[in-house]
Amino acid sequence: MKSLHLELPNFAAMSDDEVEQHMMTRSMDGRWSSQTRWLLAQFETDKLDLNEAWAQTWVDWQCPCCQRRKLEIARLTDKGVLLCQLDWHHDHLADAAGDVIRSKATVGVSDELLITRKRACAAALPLIERFAPVLLCNDCNAADAVMKARLGANVPRAFSFSPQEIARFITPTPHASHALDEEVGRKLWPGALAQFRERMAFAELMGERIGAGLHDRTVISFDDPARNFED
């Protein structure tokens, strides 16, 4: 019998230089990286708020929405904290549509068919959301919420602006949160809302069709005895 010996590095006991040079962290950008330490020195602070998404991306990562790189995204808060934050931006339409589809597709379904119907629901969702989850800088992600608040109470809670739409109503500035062009946001809003409503209607339709068994899809695993059937 062979045994495997795995030795994990004790990063907590290492210096920042040792962590940065380690093969497991060389492509990451945590508080130990030379770039983070340089930024702390430039902003003359020892206070740092750096999240996991920032640490797990490389030092020259660029926001696909505002096109700023990390050196431009990092900024100092009013309390003197260096903010290094990236966030996953996802379409909340997918959450609402998923609830609608499942409520129509799985009601009264037998346990035997339940997994088949849930599988069909999962396959339909990517056709409904307006954009796939995407990593953005904290300022671009926050701009979505701020613009929706300015548009008022008529914005559905499940609505999200796409990265392409956000890029049109922000004015990026190095080391600062974005200025927003509310007029552009209001011009984009009717078309985006129409898409939202059309896709929610499609979710209702798909839920009904899946519930009627019109999108069942057989999946046979390699160890399933049904694979050994004779012609």
Side-chain angles (χ1 to χ4, degrees):
M1 178 181 295
K2 294 183 178 180
S3 62
L4 177 65
H5 177 69
L6 182 62
E7 187 173 330
L8 297 176
N10 183 8
F11 290 119
M14 295 181 182
S15 68
D16 287 341
D17 288 331
E18 290 172 327
V19 174
E20 184 177 29
Q21 293 302 317
H22 196 280
M23 61 179 298
M24 292 179 63
T25 56
R26 203 170 294 159
S27 62
M28 298 182 182
D29 187 24
R31 63 168 51 247
W32 63 83
S33 74
S34 56
Q35 178 164 281
T36 301
R37 287 180 280 167
W38 181 84
L39 284 166
L40 286 167
Q42 288 295 111
F43 285 97
E44 300 180 342
T45 183
D46 59 358
K47 299 176 183 178
L48 177 65
D49 187 357
L50 184 151
N51 68 358
E52 185 177 1
W54 185 287
Q56 290 183 344
T57 50
W58 75 303
V59 295
D60 206 30
W61 181 90
Q62 184 176 30
C63 178
C65 189
C66 69
Q67 304 300 311
R68 295 182 304 173
R69 298 190 184 277
K70 280 184 169 182
L71 281 174
E72 299 174 298
I73 295 169
R75 61 182 171 87
L76 203 64
T77 69
D78 294 338
K79 295 183 178 180
V81 178
L82 181 64
L83 194 66
C84 298
Q85 300 272 327
L86 306 180
D87 295 318
W88 282 98
H89 183 57
H90 77 281
D91 192 357
H92 291 288
L93 167 61
D95 301 327
D99 291 341
V100 168
I101 290 177
R102 284 187 292 271
S103 69
K104 293 182 174 293
T106 61
V107 173
V109 175
S110 66
D111 291 342
E112 183 181 359
L113 281 176
L114 187 58
I115 186 64
T116 299
R117 298 293 157 79
K118 285 184 175 180
R119 189 181 292 123
C121 291
L125 275 178
L127 300 175
I128 296 170
E129 61 186 7
R130 296 202 309 137
F131 59 92
V134 58
L135 190 63
L136 302 180
C137 72
N138 174 265
D139 297 313
C140 283
N141 191 49
D144 169 63
V146 174
M147 182 57 73
K148 288 187 292 188
R150 291 187 184 181
L151 291 175
N154 292 329
V155 179
R157 292 185 63 182
F159 173 82
S160 301
F161 280 108
S162 71
Q164 292 83 0
E165 291 162 345
I166 294 171
R168 292 178 62 183
F169 61 67
I170 60 172
T171 301
T173 304
H175 314 303
S177 55
H178 299 321
L180 305 187
D181 190 328
E182 187 174 328
E183 183 179 353
V184 173
R186 291 190 178 279
K187 287 180 179 178
L188 292 170
W189 169 237
L193 178 60
Q195 290 183 21
F196 176 89
R197 288 174 172 167
E198 288 172 358
R199 290 173 185 241
M200 283 299 294
F202 182 61
E204 296 259 1
L205 174 63
M206 287 303 299
E208 293 171 357
R209 290 181 60 86
I210 292 170
L214 298 176
H215 294 274
D216 289 351
R217 178 170 173 258
T218 301
V219 176
I220 301 177
S221 63
F222 283 97
D223 58 354
D224 193 320
R227 287 182 58 85
N228 300 321
F229 65 88
E230 296 183 359
D231 292 338

